Amino acid sequence: VSVSAVMLSGARPCPHLHCAAMKIGIVGLGYVGLPLAVAFAENDHEVVCFDLDKAKTTALSEGRSYIEDISAETLAPILERLHPTSRHADLASCEAIVICVPTPLTSAREPDLSYLLDAAAGLAGILQPGQLVVLESTTYPGTTRERVAPILEESGLTVGEDFHLAFSPERIDPGRTDYTVRTTPKLVGGVTDACTERARQLYAEICETVVVLTSPEAAELAKLLENIFRSVNIALVNELAQLCDRLGIDVWEVIDAASTKPFGFMRFEPGPGMGGHCLPVDPFYLAFKAREADFYPEFIELAGKVNQAQPAYCVERIERALNQTGKPVNGSKVLILGAAYKAGSGDIRESPALKILKLLQALEADLAYHDPYVPRLADLGLDSVDLEASLETADLVVIVTAHRELDYAEIVERAPLVLDFRGATRDIRSANLFHL
């Protein structure tokens, strides 16, 4: 495989150096860490797979995958190169260690770096001279240099002299098959030039294109920009959908029309809100860092607020739809289709469906949900119901996540009332069907 190194720093490109088999540590075996571990193992490297969650390490040791993108068939031929563990000491022999732990928000919508800082503290106790540590967890500019480096230096080693440190943002999109770890360009920015080069060489083993930046701060901010760009544009079309509702205009027709322009327009679609780890979180990470610099990114914060408020607007639409049939929310049978935050995935992180369900529970609706990827919502005390048996008994069916496995024409035909927040039924015209 030919590997290119794209230099955005003006530095001289370095040729790809194919390394002999290495031992690489992955800290955090979730949606980012496990695919990364598989990618390295598929390229003949030994991978120490660290996670404090014993359920994950046990499943991996038995060849069982808990992530949709990685099948048991994928794990089988590389299982002997994957070494699950919950012991930090097992990472000491690794040449490179990649941190892929969650970076959520606190209840006050501020960055929660506790998982990241705990991971760094664990590594400080075993860090060896010459090791490379790379942070992939999404965070605000300055985290790698100002928060992670000092903790690692508690080992007595100095960054840039005794060990290498870089930031390389994850770009995993769960459920996506057209862009993979190998084909998605990889950004790297090290604390020093030597750190950057070590990180470039590491990722050149599994990525066709490595994009080299001048600093970890540039790489950290680039990741936030990618997702804030989407957040701002999704907020725009969510507001447009609400305006179209007031004006009696079909928002999907308007978006389809604008999308015919071959330049100067990029299609985004409205929905019930944003989910996943990145999109709902990243605007608040950047806003937090901006406030530290006495700068207030009102435009970015407003987009975050609009998207956070979208589930409440959807519940208002549910109330209106039921009112048109003379029914209150209280006691009405409401069937929610989709609990995951996106189609084709069982990932419920920050899912707008959960927020809608909680709001409807507070209004005492008789709730049920169906999702082929999410069998149970323990926090809500709900199990996914059989779709066939539930369609005709529901007072209202609400499409929140448009899984491709569902026959939406049949759903509209059989259900007494359908409210579609995803545009899955935009080509269907029926008296019992309402759109966002």
Side-chain angles (χ1 to χ4, degrees):
V1 179
S2 66
V3 180
S4 61
V6 181
M7 312 293 288
L8 298 188
S9 62
R12 181 175 58 85
C14 299
H16 169 56
L17 302 176
H18 183 79
C19 301
M22 295 184 289
K23 182 181 283 189
I24 298 162
I26 304 295
V27 178
L29 301 177
Y31 284 88
V32 176
L34 184 57
L36 199 61
V38 168
F40 280 115
E42 287 178 336
N43 280 269
D44 299 325
H45 300 292
E46 299 294 316
V47 186
V48 177
C49 304
F50 176 91
D51 203 295
L52 292 176
D53 185 347
K54 295 293 181 64
K56 289 180 179 177
T57 55
T58 298
L60 189 55
S61 65
E62 296 172 353
R64 293 184 289 108
S65 177
Y66 43 87
I67 291 178
E68 296 97 342
D69 291 357
I70 305 296
S71 66
E73 291 73 24
T74 299
L75 291 177
I78 58 171
L79 205 55
E80 64 181 11
R81 292 193 291 278
L82 299 174
H83 309 285
T85 183
S86 295
R87 298 175 64 252
H88 286 98
D90 293 332
L91 296 165
S93 59
C94 295
E95 295 163 65
I97 301 170
V98 184
I99 303 174
C100 306
V101 296
T103 46
L105 294 172
T106 68
S107 58
R109 311 303 289 176
E110 292 191 343
D112 178 2
L113 298 183
S114 58
Y115 297 102
L116 174 56
L117 301 183
D118 287 347
L123 293 181
I126 58 89
L127 194 65
Q128 303 297 309
Q131 280 186 323
L132 165 67
V133 177
V134 183
L135 173 60
E136 286 214 5
S137 306
T138 302
T139 187
Y140 56 80
T143 301
T144 304
R145 191 188 304 270
E146 298 166 11
R147 303 300 302 276
V148 175
I151 294 175
L152 294 178
E153 288 185 328
E154 291 176 8
S155 63
L157 303 177
T158 301
V159 64
E161 297 178 11
D162 304 311
F163 73 96
H164 297 89
L165 178 62
F167 182 80
S168 181
E170 59 90 2
R171 282 172 157 178
I172 298 290
D173 190 3
R176 189 164 201 141
T177 57
D178 51 346
Y179 289 101
T180 65
V181 170
R182 177 164 292 281
T183 60
T184 302
K186 200 76 172 80
L187 307 181
V188 295
V191 174
T192 67
D193 289 344
C195 293
T196 302
E197 175 58 14
R198 279 290 304 276
R200 186 200 70 77
Q201 290 181 17
L202 173 70
Y203 286 109
E205 289 293 306
I206 59 171
C207 300
E208 293 177 358
T209 302
V210 179
V211 181
V212 174
L213 304 182
T214 59
S215 67
E217 290 81 7
E220 289 162 338
L221 186 53
K223 168 64 175 180
L224 294 184
L225 174 59
E226 293 171 13
N227 288 322
I228 290 170
F229 172 80
R230 292 196 64 202
S231 173
V232 168
N233 282 281
I234 290 171
L236 171 64
V237 294
N238 279 338
E239 278 204 332
L240 182 68
Q242 295 186 32
L243 174 61
C244 285
D245 178 45
R246 295 278 186 94
L247 298 178
I249 299 172
D250 183 347
V251 67
W252 299 102
E253 180 183 7
V254 172
I255 293 171
D256 287 343
S259 298
T260 63
K261 187 177 182 180
F263 56 90
F265 181 82
M266 182 176 291
R267 183 186 183 100
F268 287 83
E269 296 185 349
M274 294 191 309
H277 169 64
C278 291
L279 291 188
V281 171
D282 289 4
F284 295 98
Y285 265 74
L286 186 56
F288 170 83
K289 185 63 178 179
R291 287 194 297 271
E292 285 190 342
D294 200 28
F295 182 84
Y296 298 89
E298 296 179 13
F299 190 74
I300 294 171
E301 288 187 311
L302 177 60
K305 291 176 182 177
V306 168
N307 289 323
Q308 286 292 316
Q310 191 70 359
Y313 170 73
C314 289
V315 171
E316 179 190 322
R317 289 295 309 274
I318 289 170
E319 290 181 282
R320 274 198 277 149
L322 286 168
N323 282 341
Q324 290 181 8
T325 62
K327 295 178 180 179
V329 174
N330 190 330
S332 290
K333 294 181 182 295
V334 179
L335 174 61
I336 301 295
L337 298 186
Y341 83 88
K342 63 180 290 187
S345 171
D347 194 342
I348 61 172
R349 291 176 297 175
E350 298 286 333
S351 174
L354 303 187
K355 299 170 187 177
I356 291 171
L357 284 163
K358 288 176 182 178
L359 291 170
L360 290 173
Q361 274 190 340
L363 294 174
E364 299 186 21
D366 185 356
L367 278 180
Y369 86 94
H370 172 79
D371 192 309
Y373 295 89
V374 184
R376 178 165 175 74
L377 295 173
D379 290 347
L380 294 170
L382 296 173
D383 294 299
S384 180
V385 300
D386 179 72
L387 182 59
E388 293 292 322
S390 305
L391 272 181
E392 294 171 5
T393 59
D395 294 307
L396 174 64
V397 175
V398 185
I399 302 170
V400 178
T401 309
H403 290 304
R404 298 174 185 87
E405 293 87 343
L406 304 187
D407 186 337
Y408 294 102
E410 182 183 358
I411 288 168
V412 172
E413 182 179 343
R414 293 183 55 191
L417 192 65
V418 178
L419 178 55
D420 180 5
F421 291 145
R422 289 290 188 181
T425 61
R426 70 186 72 170
D427 297 326
I428 300 174
R429 295 292 176 264
S430 178
N432 68 327
L433 174 62
F434 298 92
H435 295 98
L436 181 68

